[in-house]
Amino acid sequence: MTRSEENYLKIIFHLGGSNSTPITTNAIAEQMETKPSSVTDMAKKLAEKGLVNYKRYQGVSLTDQGTKTALSIIRKHRLWEVFLVKKLDFSWDEVHEVAEQLEHIKSEKLIDKIDELLEFPKFDPHGDPIPSKDGKFMERDKQLLSEVAIGGKGVCVGVKDSSAPFLKFLDKNKIALGHTIQVLEKEDFDQSLHIAMEGRELRISHQIASNLYVKKNE
């Protein structure tokens, strides 16, 4: 498979195309930053290879084989991210772009060895689940911080936005995975939050709160 074909499969999976609901070519084109006509051409190629279901005007969905392939690519990407952070001291805002390149390495033996070296991690540095070799992964019971009621608290377990500027903002404000966050107050005007975390208090915008995942404390 070409790198472009693998990228399409990954995007379709992330958009929800592994279930019974087809994804529109426009939605895929927006994510791939290309023309819908280019998506149509690629969908036809992938359909010929048995990786997607495609019918004109009805969208695109992954076949079982397409889903398996997409999960393999995602597994490689997230394992590389962990490797870069744990073994090469990359920061979490640097690893995505590098992993985008490394995920296309074909050697399954190499990936299995990295998985073993890292002691089979379940989540990547951004809190996203890492699929196992057989395509299974652990889902967390999580919600966005913006949805937590006043007085509620939870442990930060992931980010919705994994862009470098957002991750750098979190580092600057010392907001990290594993921190317990409590919502003290919510502004009616702009839905910004006053939160308590790690012995200190701060205010964050609704946009920030809408990109942080927390797991409720038991």
Side-chain angles (χ1 to χ4, degrees):
M1 291 185 63
T2 67
R3 176 176 295 196
S4 180
E5 289 172 338
E6 290 185 343
N7 286 337
Y8 268 91
L9 292 179
K10 189 174 65 171
I11 288 296
I12 295 168
F13 180 88
H14 285 315
L15 289 171
S18 61
N19 56 34
S20 58
T21 305
I23 305 302
T24 66
T25 53
N26 284 338
I28 299 170
E30 183 177 350
Q31 288 293 314
M32 295 294 294
E33 297 182 348
T34 189
K35 299 176 182 178
S37 59
S38 298
V39 176
T40 299
D41 292 340
M42 178 60 75
K44 291 176 180 177
K45 292 179 183 178
L46 294 173
E48 289 173 0
K49 293 186 176 184
L51 297 169
V52 304
N53 300 304
Y54 170 72
K55 288 185 178 180
R56 194 176 182 185
Y57 306 125
Q58 294 185 26
V60 184
S61 62
L62 297 175
T63 62
D64 288 344
Q65 184 58 42
T67 299
K68 181 180 178 181
T69 304
L71 284 169
S72 174
I73 299 163
I74 292 166
R75 174 177 181 249
K76 288 187 283 186
H77 181 102
R78 294 176 180 173
L79 282 173
W80 278 119
E81 288 190 333
V82 178
F83 179 82
L84 291 167
V85 169
K86 296 286 188 182
K87 301 300 182 181
L88 299 182
D89 295 323
F90 276 68
S91 63
W92 70 334
D93 60 87
E94 296 175 312
V95 296
H96 179 74
E97 292 303 321
V98 181
E100 283 285 313
Q101 301 169 51
L102 294 170
E103 70 185 24
H104 299 290
I105 292 175
K106 304 300 182 185
S107 174
E108 291 296 330
K109 182 177 181 180
L110 173 62
I111 298 304
D112 290 344
K113 288 291 186 181
I114 289 175
D115 198 8
E116 182 180 359
L117 176 67
L118 297 171
E119 300 180 344
F120 309 103
K122 302 297 183 186
F123 299 93
D124 74 9
H126 310 117
D128 293 318
I130 300 174
S132 64
K133 191 173 182 179
D134 59 2
K136 297 179 181 178
F137 53 88
M138 185 183 299
E139 286 283 12
R140 279 178 166 145
D141 181 18
K142 62 186 180 181
Q143 67 180 132
L144 293 171
L145 180 59
S146 57
E147 298 170 350
V148 176
I150 296 172
K153 65 171 61 175
V155 177
C156 185
V157 296
V159 293
K160 184 177 180 181
D161 179 357
S162 59
S163 67
F166 181 64
L167 299 179
K168 287 178 180 177
F169 172 88
L170 297 182
D171 284 342
K172 181 180 178 181
N173 288 276
K174 297 180 174 59
I175 301 172
L177 304 192
H179 286 179
T180 297
I181 302 173
Q182 182 174 19
V183 177
L184 302 177
E185 184 182 1
K186 183 178 293 187
E187 290 290 345
D188 290 335
F189 174 66
D190 61 1
Q191 299 299 298
S192 60
L193 300 182
H194 180 200
I195 62 174
M197 180 184 61
E198 302 299 303
R200 61 195 176 95
E201 298 182 11
L202 67 157
R203 292 188 178 275
I204 60 173
S205 68
H206 177 70
Q207 182 180 2
I208 298 301
S210 296
N211 280 290
L212 289 172
Y213 285 115
V214 296
K215 182 180 185 298
K216 285 185 178 180
N217 286 347
E218 299 297 334

